[in-house]
Amino acid sequence: MPSYDLLIKGGTIIDGQRTPRFTGDVAIADGRIAQIGGGLSESQAARVIDARDLIVAPGFVDLHTHFDSQIFWDPYCTMSGWHGITSVVIGNCGFGFAPVAPEHRERAMLTLERNEAVRATTMAAGMPWDWVTFPEFLGSIERTPKGVNVLAYMGIAPLMTWVMGQDAKGRAATPDEQQRMCAILSEAMDAGACGFSAQILGENSVQRDYDGTPMITDVMAPEDLLAFAGVLREKGRGVVQMIGAAPELFEQVAEVSGRPVIWNALVLQSDQHGNTYGSYKDRLNWLEESNAEGKRIFGHAVTCDMDEQFSLDDWNLFDAIPSWRAVTLGTVTERMRKMNDPELRQAIREDFDRYAELRKVDPVAATKAGSGGLFLAIPDMWIAEGRTEQGRALEGYTVGQVPGHEGLPIHAPTAKRAKSDCRVLVEKKNGGGGG
Ligand SMILES: [Zn+2]
């Protein structure tokens, strides 16, 4: 009778506890690590994996994902699952699919399409929608075959929409509504939610609802947020994930809940020339001070310089800018028509340049004024992928290198030309990380 079910032999072990890496064997019995060491005998194990030249490490946890729909058709949560991630957290930023009434499912999917660029048609095809409430949603995930572990926040947007109505944006909840929302959150926590999440980016939110208006949480009342924090204090468990709120509000949520609060996101932003923006050092100091005062706020850092892409037929990176928003609402055909409107073209060019200038002077003020997450000069953006012959011919060029670009990714005067160009993806090429 072998002592171990599995022996992982000769791998480079990185244990995640800052122990310097070492070569060794890991033996597993009854689903748990039974022994770590060198020279464990193969004869003691029912199965042996040769891990020479491989890393043996605990699975990583992807704290910030929007796999809320993908989990239903992709058990590995690609691409996270490809990179050593064995646990994912869904329901971030206040977005989610429970509770959602059957008649509002389409709207919920359109919302996720606009703010997280998951195609609504894909979601409709791939989600079973065999739930209404949050506990039922967790039940559906439980029944779904998975290659990863899943933790779910209750997203505050579906909760508020469920109780206060679809159009209750920009007002505080009534005492009755607040009480009902807290009761539903409490029920979700009892069912296994890992906490709650909210995006609070204000009127100039860059991740907007399907119709271009801010998300309901973007303009929510602080007192409602603090009431939700109170639910976690009662429970004595759970984590809060937030993005966009003022530091003072983070501190209040940490105090009222007594629970860890995740600050999204600690970002070192840089443009395509490697110039850095933002005040991450101030943020680090603030995090340190808050923790010294017993407020457990943790910065969730973005550890690489992100390339971002957009095309006119899905997510709009410039959603905080009114003229760009106008151009990117409606069907793809309508968007193309608007993109060819000379007045709108002029407006988006002027808006973009105005925010880019403001960014250089005062990045924080620019963000508050609605400059969104990007601050690149459009002519310096790269055409990453063409989807037609004409588009493919432009691949690898910057927008500025395209004759007649007029400072815009779409330059064609004719509808035919506009159609081809509109499906060109434009990405920021990494400028070296900006130190
Ligand atoms: Zn998010």
Side-chain angles (χ1 to χ4, degrees):
M1 186 69 187
S3 321
Y4 308 124
D5 301 317
L6 178 65
L7 181 63
I8 304 169
K9 192 107 181 98
T12 301
I13 298 170
I14 297 175
D15 67 6
Q17 300 186 74
R18 300 189 179 181
T19 310
R21 62 178 67 190
F22 60 99
T23 304
D25 309 329
V26 178
I28 291 163
D30 295 328
R32 290 180 180 275
I33 293 173
Q35 190 80 255
I36 300 177
L40 300 182
S41 166
E42 291 184 27
S43 63
Q44 284 186 284
R47 198 176 145 224
V48 179
I49 294 175
D50 180 0
R52 270 173 302 175
D53 300 326
L54 298 172
I55 299 282
V56 180
F60 298 121
V61 182
D62 195 340
L63 274 182
H64 192 126
T65 83
H66 293 278
F67 289 132
D68 301 63
S69 55
Q70 190 174 326
I71 184 70
F72 291 105
W73 67 82
D74 176 4
Y76 302 105
C77 288
T78 309
M79 309 218 303
S80 287
W82 288 352
H83 296 286
I85 281 155
T86 52
S87 301
V88 300
V89 184
I90 62 172
N92 275 276
C93 300
F95 311 148
F97 291 118
V100 172
E103 62 271 28
H104 296 149
R105 285 172 183 163
E106 194 189 349
R107 181 195 150 123
M109 291 186 283
L110 288 171
T111 295
L112 259 284
E113 179 176 67
R114 187 157 191 104
N115 56 34
E116 292 297 340
V118 186
R119 288 275 164 86
T121 45
T122 307
M123 287 187 254
M127 289 168 73
W129 276 114
D130 55 356
W131 66 85
V132 173
T133 66
F134 192 89
E136 288 167 359
F137 171 71
L138 289 187
S140 185
I141 288 183
E142 187 70 36
R143 290 191 296 277
T144 301
K146 292 173 294 297
V148 291
N149 304 302
V150 178
L151 273 172
Y153 289 116
M154 166 163 257
I156 292 302
L159 173 63
M160 291 182 73
T161 305
W162 171 264
V163 171
M164 295 170 65
Q166 305 228 32
D167 304 311
K169 295 187 178 180
R171 72 168 173 86
T174 65
D176 174 57
E177 286 170 338
Q178 195 187 80
Q179 212 174 18
R180 277 160 54 210
M181 289 192 289
C182 287
I184 294 168
L185 175 58
S186 171
E187 186 188 68
M189 291 299 295
D190 291 344
C194 64
F196 71 83
S197 68
Q199 168 183 290
I200 308 176
L201 284 166
E203 288 286 347
N204 292 319
S205 174
V206 74
Q207 296 203 117
R208 301 176 87 86
D209 210 342
Y210 76 102
D211 58 356
T213 59
M215 290 297 295
I216 195 165
T217 54
D218 280 327
V219 287
M220 74 185 290
E223 54 267 34
D224 292 334
L225 185 69
L226 296 176
F228 300 144
V231 173
L232 294 203
R233 174 168 287 278
E234 269 170 39
K235 299 286 170 195
R237 56 172 282 267
V239 175
V240 181
Q241 182 268 341
M242 294 203 297
I243 181 164
E248 298 73 35
L249 194 51
F250 269 83
E251 291 180 39
Q252 281 177 292
V253 169
E255 266 171 340
V256 172
S257 68
R259 302 300 310 162
V261 181
I262 296 176
W263 163 274
N264 276 136
L266 199 59
V267 188
L268 174 61
Q269 290 176 313
S270 70
D271 65 12
Q272 63 268 61
H273 306 298
N275 301 313
T276 58
Y277 294 82
S279 48
Y280 71 98
K281 282 183 183 158
D282 295 346
R283 283 285 157 264
L284 284 173
N285 291 338
W286 167 68
L287 288 167
E288 218 160 284
E289 282 163 22
S290 300
N291 277 277
E293 292 164 8
K295 290 169 265 188
R296 290 187 288 164
I297 308 172
F298 299 93
H300 191 170
V302 176
T303 52
C304 59
D305 205 5
M306 291 186 295
D307 275 354
E308 292 169 283
Q309 301 189 347
F310 87 110
S311 71
L312 259 194
D313 53 357
D314 41 51
W315 184 50
N316 168 31
L317 284 179
F318 313 117
D319 223 351
I321 302 176
S323 53
W324 277 91
R325 209 152 60 228
V327 168
T328 54
L329 281 168
T331 64
V332 173
T333 315
E334 284 163 349
R335 294 174 196 198
M336 288 193 293
R337 203 177 54 232
K338 289 187 207 172
M339 199 42 143
N340 274 310
D341 177 318
E343 276 179 33
L344 268 175
R345 289 169 71 78
Q346 186 60 24
I348 58 177
R349 209 164 20 228
E350 282 173 8
D351 270 352
F352 200 91
D353 290 347
R354 187 159 52 84
Y355 286 120
E357 277 308 306
L358 190 54
R359 274 269 182 200
K360 282 185 201 157
V361 186
D362 187 346
V364 176
T367 303
K368 280 188 185 146
S371 68
L374 274 193
F375 39 90
L376 307 172
I378 294 176
D380 292 344
M381 290 180 171
W382 295 78
I383 295 163
E385 184 190 325
R387 298 177 198 166
T388 62
E389 211 176 307
Q390 286 159 306
R392 277 190 288 277
L394 300 173
E395 282 178 14
Y397 289 98
T398 62
V399 171
Q401 288 169 331
V402 176
H405 63 84
E406 296 177 48
L408 295 175
I410 311 265
H411 61 87
T414 70
K416 189 166 172 280
R417 187 66 205 252
K419 188 170 180 181
S420 70
D421 286 353
C422 143
R423 294 179 67 79
V424 170
L425 289 168
V426 181
E427 73 171 344
K428 165 195 170 191
K429 272 263 167 76
N430 192 328

